[in-house]
Amino acid sequence: MKNLDNTLKTILIIAIIIIINLISLQIFTRIDITKGKKYSISKYSKNLVGNLKDKLTIKAFFTPNIPSPYNKLERDVKDKLEEYKAFANRYFQFEFVKDKDKEKFVQEASRYGIPEVRVNAIEKDEAVIKNVNMGLVIMYEDRTETIPVIEGTQNLEYDISAKINKLIKKNLPEVGFLQGHGELDFENKLQNIKKQLEANYELKAINLAENKTALEDAEVLVIAAPKSKIPLDEQYAIDQFIMKGKKVLFMMDNVEADIQTQPPKAEFYPNDMNLWFANYGFKINRDLVYDAQSQNVQVQQVINNRRHISFMRYPFFIQVADFNKTNLIVKNLNPITLFFASSVDTSFAAEKGIRTIKLASSSKRSGLQDGRLNIAAQRNTNLKYAKQNILLAALLTGNFSSYFSDKSLPDSLNIDTSGMIRDGSESRLLAIGNAQFISDDYLSQSNALFFANSIDWMAQEKGLIQIRSKNIVAPKLDDISVGAKSTIKFIIRFLPTILIILFGIIMWQNKKRRYKRFGRFMQ
């Protein structure tokens, strides 16, 4: 009878576990104990779907029976969409498209721009290649956005929320890239940056020499690496843009460097505009920063008439890791790399009532060159790394005053200054002593995130930064003492054995007591 009771109890427990699992498959629940709520959608995403004004539908196309490891992806995507739904209002809905006719399924997916992709799989101990669909289409009013291929869930929330944001906002903020003075070519040198930003912004080239009103609709202006001075009439247009509370990124490449020549050459571009910049509380100095914390480059040397190739740290390709951990733009960022960067000076900004936020600095072993520059890799072994934390990027915020408020422009420029704004609205500027780091030739993932976060911050899209930053840095283990490490290792190594021995002793003692009782009973 007792054995029957135990059997019934076991069956009941198993049944309860099965029922709980079946219910959990139908009802979304999640307990996220990670520090940054890495597996939960952000407040920004919750607000996005909680304030929908019209029906938003997400259709997921996942080919049935996708091989491992992609089969888990469908479940993860469903969990993420369930979480969106849990915080959304009545206008949010999603569905996983199913069709027994594979050809029709593929055709419908293709109609929304979701292609078949080839994945490797193991079937019956053989490697095979399968064509599968793994994408989402998001529909709002008469507009659609597509995530053609989902290969992982690391950036899934950012991808979904960015698409929803783009659908909801009929007019995305406009970001202009100044052209006409040797800046990074908007059409040919910024392709990867454009891909990173185009989901959330209208991007366009701004040429003030050709169109005086080109800044009218822009919210943010990027000035990236002008090789010559920006003329006064264009400076005036940019100045008034700032006075209206619009934002500008000043990214200056002061040094023209060529490391392919023998010896390598470096000189300053004729683009010194610090007199103008100083009005807004900063200068990008006419110097060249070097740093012991730097990237490797390939070097060729001729020794005994034989050519040798080796790698060595090149102090002018700075790996910047000293970030302001309190600022959203950089607080979760991995190191970025700057190429032939100059230092930034904001020491006089406070006198003008301008607030400054230091974003990035050199390491504790760095230095500066000015005047005659020497960038040869082999010749810089005697560089003195006597300086530390040289400022490389800074934010400036406040009510700026017009550079032209006490100046008269030449009549030859034919500029109407009658409507000049002398005291500006609250605005934001970003000063960086480098620009090449965003060009297609030098762009890394960290460099792209730094720039994208900067644009988001300038355009006041902080929510996007929060989502993008969640998955950048893996959580670090806390440092512990050597003694604590030894203790933990000892516990891990011997605790299971000790517990088994203790369990054996207890069982042996119990058995011994039972034998004694049995012996007394038999006597």
Side-chain angles (χ1 to χ4, degrees):
M1 189 64 187
K2 189 176 180 181
N3 288 337
L4 183 62
D5 287 346
N6 288 336
T7 304
L8 285 173
K9 285 178 183 175
T10 305
I11 293 172
L12 186 61
I13 290 169
I14 293 171
I16 290 171
I17 292 171
I18 292 171
I19 291 169
I20 290 173
N21 270 283
L22 289 173
I23 292 172
S24 69
L25 286 173
Q26 302 300 320
I27 301 174
F28 170 77
T29 53
R30 172 173 290 166
I31 300 173
D32 187 351
I33 59 173
T34 56
K35 187 178 179 182
K37 299 295 178 190
K38 190 174 178 179
Y39 299 102
S40 304
I41 65 171
S42 66
K43 185 178 178 183
Y44 176 83
S45 296
K46 293 172 186 174
N47 288 336
L48 210 56
V49 294
N51 296 300
L52 292 171
K53 304 295 183 190
D54 205 340
K55 184 178 174 183
L56 185 139
T57 302
I58 298 179
K59 287 188 174 184
F61 288 85
F62 278 82
T63 302
N65 303 318
I66 291 179
S68 175
Y70 304 99
N71 53 353
K72 185 175 171 292
L73 202 55
E74 181 177 353
R75 177 71 214 176
D76 291 340
V77 171
K78 188 175 182 185
D79 283 348
K80 188 64 72 180
L81 293 177
E82 289 282 9
E83 193 172 357
Y84 272 94
K85 190 174 182 180
F87 295 100
N89 61 18
R90 62 191 173 94
Y91 292 117
F92 181 91
Q93 63 181 40
F94 74 90
E95 64 171 304
F96 276 71
V97 178
K98 303 290 180 188
D99 198 322
K100 291 180 181 176
D101 188 330
K102 186 184 175 186
E103 192 174 335
K104 281 178 64 181
F105 177 84
V106 172
Q107 283 177 353
E108 188 178 359
S110 178
R111 189 164 60 86
Y112 287 116
I114 299 172
E116 277 191 301
V117 291
R118 306 180 84 181
V119 298
N120 297 318
I122 302 293
E123 285 186 354
K124 298 179 180 176
D125 298 329
E126 289 186 2
V128 296
I129 295 175
K130 286 201 160 190
N131 293 327
V132 300
N133 294 97
M134 300 185 298
L136 295 179
V137 58
I138 306 170
M139 294 174 279
Y140 186 76
E141 295 179 340
D142 59 346
R143 303 185 296 279
T144 62
E145 285 290 329
T146 303
I147 303 175
V149 181
I150 299 173
E151 297 182 28
T153 55
Q154 189 178 23
N155 296 311
L156 185 60
E157 185 196 348
Y158 179 83
D159 291 340
I160 293 174
S161 291
K163 298 290 185 186
I164 294 175
N165 182 51
K166 187 175 182 180
L167 286 170
I168 291 173
K169 290 182 178 175
K170 290 182 179 176
N171 298 311
L172 295 174
E174 187 175 292
V175 177
F177 289 76
L178 191 68
Q179 303 285 279
H181 321 92
E183 291 89 349
L184 296 177
D185 189 335
F186 179 74
E187 298 298 335
N188 300 312
K189 289 289 184 182
L190 298 170
Q191 293 297 322
N192 292 317
I193 278 295
K194 285 156 71 174
K195 285 179 187 172
Q196 181 94 16
L197 295 174
E198 62 189 4
N200 300 301
Y201 301 98
E202 293 290 341
L203 308 174
K204 73 172 188 178
I206 300 279
N207 192 320
L208 291 169
E210 295 175 356
N211 181 3
K212 302 290 183 190
T213 61
L215 283 172
E216 272 186 4
D217 297 325
E219 187 62 34
V220 179
L221 177 66
V222 179
I223 301 175
K227 294 180 175 59
S228 60
K229 291 183 182 180
I230 298 170
L232 266 182
D233 56 337
E234 295 184 35
Q235 285 185 20
Y236 178 77
I238 295 167
D239 175 86
Q240 291 301 290
F241 182 74
I242 296 170
M243 294 305 108
K244 292 174 183 172
K246 305 297 181 70
K247 295 87 180 177
V248 181
L249 281 77
F250 290 93
M251 304 168 62
M252 295 295 292
D253 279 339
N254 283 343
V255 177
E256 179 182 18
D258 187 349
I259 57 175
Q260 302 300 324
T261 60
Q262 289 298 331
K265 293 180 181 176
E267 58 186 12
F268 291 105
Y269 285 115
N271 61 352
D272 186 354
M273 292 180 280
N274 277 328
L275 198 61
W276 177 38
F277 296 161
N279 179 72
Y280 309 120
F282 74 93
K283 288 181 183 176
I284 298 179
N285 293 321
R286 310 289 288 174
D287 58 22
L288 177 61
V289 181
Y290 56 88
D291 198 319
Q293 187 173 285
S294 51
Q295 197 177 66
N296 283 335
V297 294
Q298 182 177 297
V299 179
Q300 290 189 18
Q301 290 177 293
V302 178
I303 303 173
N304 296 328
N305 294 323
R306 298 185 66 179
R307 191 179 295 274
H308 294 264
I309 296 176
S310 60
F311 289 88
M312 64 177 294
R313 289 199 176 276
Y314 189 54
F316 303 103
F317 288 2
I318 306 170
Q319 283 198 314
V320 183
D322 191 341
F323 296 123
N324 181 345
K325 297 299 181 185
T326 64
N327 186 273
L328 203 56
I329 295 175
V330 292
K331 75 174 188 177
N332 288 326
L333 206 62
N334 288 324
I336 61 172
T337 306
L338 301 184
F339 304 89
F340 301 108
S342 297
S343 63
V344 176
D345 180 9
T346 60
S347 58
F348 51 93
E351 300 168 8
K352 296 174 173 290
I354 297 166
R355 300 181 294 277
T356 59
I357 302 169
K358 293 180 180 180
L359 279 189
S361 305
S362 67
S363 76
K364 293 179 179 176
R365 294 187 64 232
S366 50
L368 290 168
Q369 282 188 9
D370 53 16
R372 189 174 180 182
L373 305 176
N374 178 6
I375 60 167
Q378 295 95 332
R379 296 180 184 177
N380 285 300
T381 53
N382 294 323
L383 288 173
K384 293 180 180 178
Y385 296 92
K387 294 184 179 293
Q388 60 180 354
N389 304 126
I390 299 169
L391 185 62
L392 297 168
L395 292 164
L396 301 103
T397 64
N399 297 84
F400 299 91
S401 297
S402 173
Y403 175 63
F404 295 92
S405 60
D406 57 354
K407 295 178 178 61
S408 56
L409 290 164
D411 293 338
S412 58
L413 293 178
N414 193 25
I415 297 175
D416 180 10
T417 58
S418 58
M420 179 193 294
I421 305 171
R422 298 178 186 277
D423 297 307
S425 304
E426 173 86 11
S427 184
R428 301 174 170 201
L429 306 179
L430 173 56
I432 308 176
N434 191 224
Q436 283 295 335
F437 73 96
I438 66 165
S439 73
D440 292 339
D441 297 334
Y442 296 98
L443 192 71
S444 65
Q445 185 185 30
S446 287
N447 289 0
L449 288 170
F450 173 51
F451 184 72
N453 284 353
S454 300
I455 294 292
D456 288 343
W457 194 85
M458 301 294 267
Q460 299 186 329
E461 292 283 2
K462 291 182 181 178
L464 292 173
I465 305 178
Q466 288 170 344
I467 303 173
R468 193 188 292 118
S469 302
K470 263 200 308 187
N471 298 313
I472 295 174
V473 179
K476 294 179 181 177
L477 297 175
D478 292 335
D479 287 331
I480 57 175
S481 65
V482 176
K485 285 181 184 174
S486 300
T487 305
I488 292 170
K489 284 181 183 175
F490 178 83
I491 292 172
I492 292 171
R493 183 176 298 173
F494 296 108
L495 185 62
T497 307
I498 292 170
L499 289 175
I500 290 171
I501 292 172
L502 286 174
F503 180 74
I505 292 172
I506 293 169
M507 295 300 292
W508 177 66
Q509 290 291 339
N510 286 338
K511 202 171 184 179
K512 195 174 171 184
R513 281 195 292 271
R514 284 202 300 271
Y515 276 131
K516 279 185 179 179
R517 284 199 297 269
F518 182 73
R520 285 197 296 270
F521 175 76
M522 292 302 292
Q523 288 173 359

